[in-house]
Amino acid sequence: MTLPPSLLVYFDASVLYGPDNATPVSGAVGFVVEEGTTAEIERSLGVDAIASSTELEFRALAEAAVAVDERFDRVASVHLHGDAEVVVRAADPEDDTEPPTRIARRRIETARAALADVPTVTYRTVSRGANERAHELAREGHGPENR
């Protein structure tokens, strides 16, 4: 009998701004799902609708959770790591931080629904360095014309 995996999930978002350094021109999210030392899923996604970098971080969280749900039948635990503290705190049901927007609430609901059957789900804010691969994947999501 094989035990179900314990997964580490790292997620991040990236926004590129125009020449005025204020107008977003490209948004993307990235995430990596690891089992032990093996990357089971790595994904970069360009995003057309950019509300803010924080909104994209919520999108990255939701996309990562859905990818776990779609890839694995059974999981013992999922440990979600992101470098945006407000996102991690708002997503963690043990923290009383409120999601800042309706869209953020919807993304959290999507993530929680995707992981509802997982016995243990934890949330942790990590440094950019610890989240480097997810950050690289998010930047790749902009496409070669925007890198």
Side-chain angles (χ1 to χ4, degrees), residues 85-133:
E85 183 176 13
V86 68
V87 174
V88 173
R89 290 187 63 195
D92 186 347
E94 294 185 15
D95 191 302
D96 59 0
T97 300
E98 289 292 320
T101 66
R102 179 183 53 78
I103 294 169
R105 251 187 313 283
R106 191 173 74 231
R107 302 280 190 227
I108 290 170
E109 289 167 2
T110 297
R112 288 182 183 166
L115 301 175
D117 293 334
V118 178
T120 302
V121 179
T122 65
Y123 301 81
R124 175 184 280 172
T125 303
V126 296
S127 69
R128 168 64 60 82
N131 209 34
E132 187 60 33
R133 183 62 185 141

Side-chain angles (χ1 to χ4, degrees), residues 2-5 7 35 41 66-78 114-119:
T2 304
L3 294 173
L7 304 174
E35 181 183 0
I41 305 170
V66 168
V68 166
D69 183 46
E70 290 174 348
R71 171 79 181 268
F72 297 92
D73 293 328
R74 286 182 47 217
V75 176
S77 61
V78 173
L115 301 175
D117 293 334
V118 178

Side-chain angles (χ1 to χ4, degrees), residues 14-28 47-50 56 141-142 145-147:
S14 176
V15 177
L16 296 180
Y17 295 93
D20 64 359
N21 206 26
T23 306
V25 296
S26 178
V47 177
D48 293 331
I50 309 164
L56 285 178
H142 293 293
E145 68 280 0
N146 287 317
R147 281 191 225 143

